[in-house]
Amino acid sequence: MGLFSGLYGDHAAARPGTQTYDDPRVVARLVEARSAFRWDGVLTPLFQQLAAALLAAAVRGGGFDGRLSVCDFGGGLGNGHAVLSAILGEAVRLEWDVVETPALAQAGNERFAGDGLRFHDKLDALEGRDHDLILVSGVLQYLPDPQAAFARLARRPHRHMVMNRFPVRQAAEPVTADLCTVQDLALLQAGVSVPHWCFSEERWRRLIGATHGTVMRWSDDFDGRHGLDDGSELSFIGMLLSRHPASGPAPARMPPP
């Protein structure tokens, strides 16, 4: 979505003149789109990837009892829950916690919560709640400190993590540093732009590898490929990750009611 301009050393340098996803215009547009959303049975590549990763996470290691608890960090207004619950039907009972900005969490709870779907305006609200899977799709790139956010997620009790729509820079020479750019959200809401990180895949492979192993990896064409101002190119990848046992306790399975 949108176009990218400029390259900056950090989020603060890219911030002047930009907005956030809590901008009232963006929230209103997302609520409008979510209210009108009806899955038509067409399985787009984005949801093919997520459905495959979700099912793989559910059944890997055995002991699957038909329930799957998901922490959807930056999950918008629950579109992922809407589509994946329709795809999976009664085969999987989803308990789905979305963590979002305050305005989006409020809109979600007022308009779309129910059937296992809940919205929270901070990660701390989930203290005491375990999840089988943490879903991180198209969100770390918008945060001031994505590494700190990933570290907090990695410490939470979970078995697997899906990182999707993860933007990486590619160039003739190896890319070893993260840089920030500005994304124009004109395709979502005219007049709104936001800071957007472009990650070094090499650097993040080391960060992720400290707590997780990679089960599978895919190219994510949902957001397309984009040239950046320094001649490098931004593309997007996805990964299903398995948490290292040494990283902390896995979530306990509750007995069936």
Side-chain angles (χ1 to χ4, degrees), residues 69-195:
S69 58
V70 177
C71 169
D72 190 354
F73 184 70
L77 293 171
N79 291 62
H81 173 271
V83 173
L84 291 169
S85 59
I87 292 170
L88 300 173
E90 297 181 359
V92 179
R93 188 164 76 255
L94 294 175
E95 292 293 326
W96 198 285
D97 290 298
V98 174
V99 179
E100 258 299 350
T101 63
L104 283 170
Q106 180 179 346
N109 278 318
E110 290 175 352
R111 302 285 297 273
F112 308 113
D115 193 26
L117 176 63
R118 297 168 292 268
F119 295 84
H120 313 271
D121 62 4
K122 58 178 71 69
L123 192 59
D124 289 344
L126 298 180
E127 290 304 316
R129 182 184 293 274
D130 295 350
H131 295 89
D132 300 304
L133 174 75
I134 297 177
L135 174 59
V136 190
S137 182
V139 59
L140 291 180
Q141 56 263 43
Y142 297 110
L143 303 181
D145 192 342
Q147 182 175 336
F150 173 78
R152 288 190 67 198
L153 291 168
R155 290 193 295 268
R156 290 195 54 77
H158 64 282
R159 290 182 172 82
H160 292 87
M161 182 182 295
V162 172
M163 296 181 69
N164 200 38
R165 301 178 61 198
F166 187 79
V168 294
R169 287 175 63 220
Q170 297 174 333
E173 298 295 327
V175 173
T176 58
D178 300 341
L179 290 175
C180 207
T181 186
V182 171
Q183 182 185 13
D184 181 353
L185 294 182
L187 293 180
L188 176 64
Q189 177 61 53
V192 176
S193 59
V194 294

Side-chain angles (χ1 to χ4, degrees), residues 210-222:
T211 53
H212 293 76
T214 301
V215 177
M216 59 185 183
R217 181 185 182 280
W218 56 88
S219 297
D220 180 358
D221 295 328
F222 178 78

